[in-house]
Amino acid sequence: MRTKQIYKFKDSKIFKSQILIWAQQFDDVVWLDSNNYEQAYSNYDAVLAVDAFTCIQTDYVQGFEKLKEYQTLVNDWIFGYLTYDLKNDVEALKSSNFDGLEFPDLYFFQPKKLFFFKDNQVEIQYLNCVDDEIEDDLEAIQNLDDSHLEHSRKVSENQIKIKLRIHKDEYFERINNMLDHIHRGDIYEANFCQEFYAENTTIHPLETYNKLNAISNPPFATFLKCQDKYLLSASPERYLKKEGTSLISQPIKGTAKRALNIDEDIRLKQDLSENEKERSENIMIVDLVRNDLSKTAIKGSVKVEELCQIYTFDQVHQMISTVTSKVEPSTHPIDIIKSTFPMGSMTGAPKISAMKIIEDLEETKRGLYSGAVGYFSPIGDFDFNVVIRSILYNDTKKYVSYSVGGAITAKSDPLKEYEECLVKAKAMRMVLEN
């Protein structure tokens, strides 16, 4: 059972900053922040889950079945992540590329303490076993400020030097290899990703997250701490949300840079809207998402609510579509996730062929990158983002990584694809190198 309490505060920005500093004392932290971004399917401005009461950590082998058993047994809020490599549980696939981060394939925890932010108040939910800590926690949070963050900051002994796992000429070679697959008819589209990394490097995770979030201000920002492993995400993309019997997926395909000049920025946005190659990328993935949702949908309920809409973020313009469906109340939420995972925007079409080719051509195991972070509610609702525009960090190994990718189609120009990757990587590189 959980105790609920409503707390009102004067300044949400200050209180959010304080509560994130306070949360660092725990080994298990998930912070989801919409940055007050106006979106049609948002329940909260932000959510914080801390301090595991129970948890599940496993590799991909029967991963979804183990999660299903755990989620059903706990019957409470659980927060955590699904790595891309759970594809190996869904299909007869493998992940044998280099892994410098070593995140478990799947991790969820039942938090002792939950904070749901909306406007200028927070609803606090505590398990009864920590009921007596509420007032002390609130007092501790209110007494924190940035000086506490400054005091706890770990300063890197070396300047961060970003390395490329795949260099430019090799990138062109692999894109051309993928284009050969497309021209042969093996696939129509596939998402090819590359890793940027730094070794023997110490960062302060919360400070890095705050800087990245300030630059990008995205609607699906995430700070995740799982013992010594961290995700610092400025994701603009929703993977899948369930609310009652309704499902909402919002795949992103199509990216354009922003310009400081207003007229130039409007032109770039318009060019993206009319770009035949970007639209075809998006429409192919919409078809894939429609197919995935149809596996659990009530017949005739899959609908495309938005097709190739342009959304503007601080760093880029994005082309986003919204696909919805209805499911029977008896459909298990984990079965819905399993039938649609991994998300179409990070794989390709046909999905299984694309994932096999991706594994052959990429250099790095994706892990949590292009996976999903989110939560399940006690009544079986859920909401998950797509882990992109993100920095991943293993504090024990002193290994920092970020990856970027793009959809390759028959009309792809390897040079333009490479330039798009650099646009997507800009915010992460700025935060780490400066």
Side-chain angles (χ1 to χ4, degrees), residues 19-35:
I19 204 168
L20 266 176
I21 298 167
W22 169 81
Q24 300 309 297
Q25 67 186 288
F26 302 107
D27 285 333
D28 306 275
V29 180
V30 172
W31 167 257
L32 307 170
D33 193 351
S34 73
N35 286 298

Side-chain angles (χ1 to χ4, degrees), residues 189-364:
E189 174 179 357
N191 195 288
F192 181 78
C193 301
Q194 58 176 319
E195 183 193 23
F196 298 79
Y197 68 100
E199 298 167 298
N200 303 314
T201 297
T202 301
I203 64 171
H204 189 281
L206 181 54
E207 179 192 17
T208 305
Y209 165 77
N210 285 334
K211 286 180 178 178
L212 183 63
N213 192 44
I215 289 172
S216 300
N217 206 35
F220 297 100
T222 302
F223 177 92
L224 178 144
K225 177 185 179 185
C226 177
Q227 285 82 46
D228 63 339
K229 298 173 184 70
Y230 295 84
L231 167 72
L232 323 168
S233 178
S235 174
E237 183 172 1
R238 170 179 273 125
Y239 158 42
L240 193 62
K241 175 173 182 166
K242 177 180 179 286
E243 191 165 22
T245 57
S246 297
L247 297 182
I248 303 105
S249 181
Q250 295 182 291
I252 291 179
K253 270 287 158 275
T255 304
K257 64 182 180 181
R258 298 290 311 275
L260 294 174
N261 179 279
I262 294 174
D263 291 338
E264 173 71 3
D265 197 53
I266 292 170
R267 186 187 66 76
L268 288 168
K269 183 176 179 179
Q270 187 64 31
D271 287 350
L272 176 60
S273 177
E274 296 170 356
N275 187 296
E276 186 181 339
K277 182 238 176 206
E278 304 283 14
R279 291 182 70 88
S280 67
E281 277 183 23
N282 195 293
I283 290 165
M284 277 189 246
I285 297 307
V286 166
D287 283 342
L288 192 156
V289 171
R290 288 171 62 207
N291 181 64
D292 282 350
L293 291 183
S294 71
K295 295 172 188 174
T296 57
I298 295 170
K299 190 174 180 180
S301 70
V302 179
K303 292 182 170 59
V304 179
E305 304 284 351
E306 291 180 311
L307 185 63
C308 299
Q309 288 289 111
I310 307 301
Y311 286 72
T312 296
F313 301 96
D314 287 7
Q315 292 285 304
V316 290
H317 301 293
Q318 299 277 198
M319 188 180 285
I320 304 178
S321 294
T322 300
V323 188
T324 62
S325 69
K326 295 282 187 182
V327 294
E328 296 288 355
S330 59
T331 308
H332 200 285
I334 308 300
D335 291 337
I336 295 169
I337 295 279
K338 185 178 180 180
S339 67
T340 61
F341 197 85
M343 62 289 300
S345 62
M346 297 306 294
T347 52
K351 199 173 189 179
I352 297 170
S353 296
M355 288 190 288
K356 287 178 179 176
I357 291 166
I358 285 166
E359 175 67 22
D360 288 341
L361 292 179
E362 290 181 355
E363 194 70 21
T364 309

Side-chain angles (χ1 to χ4, degrees), residues 372-386:
V373 173
Y375 63 82
F376 294 91
S377 79
I379 59 171
D381 288 346
F382 58 74
D383 201 2
F384 284 86
N385 71 1
V386 178

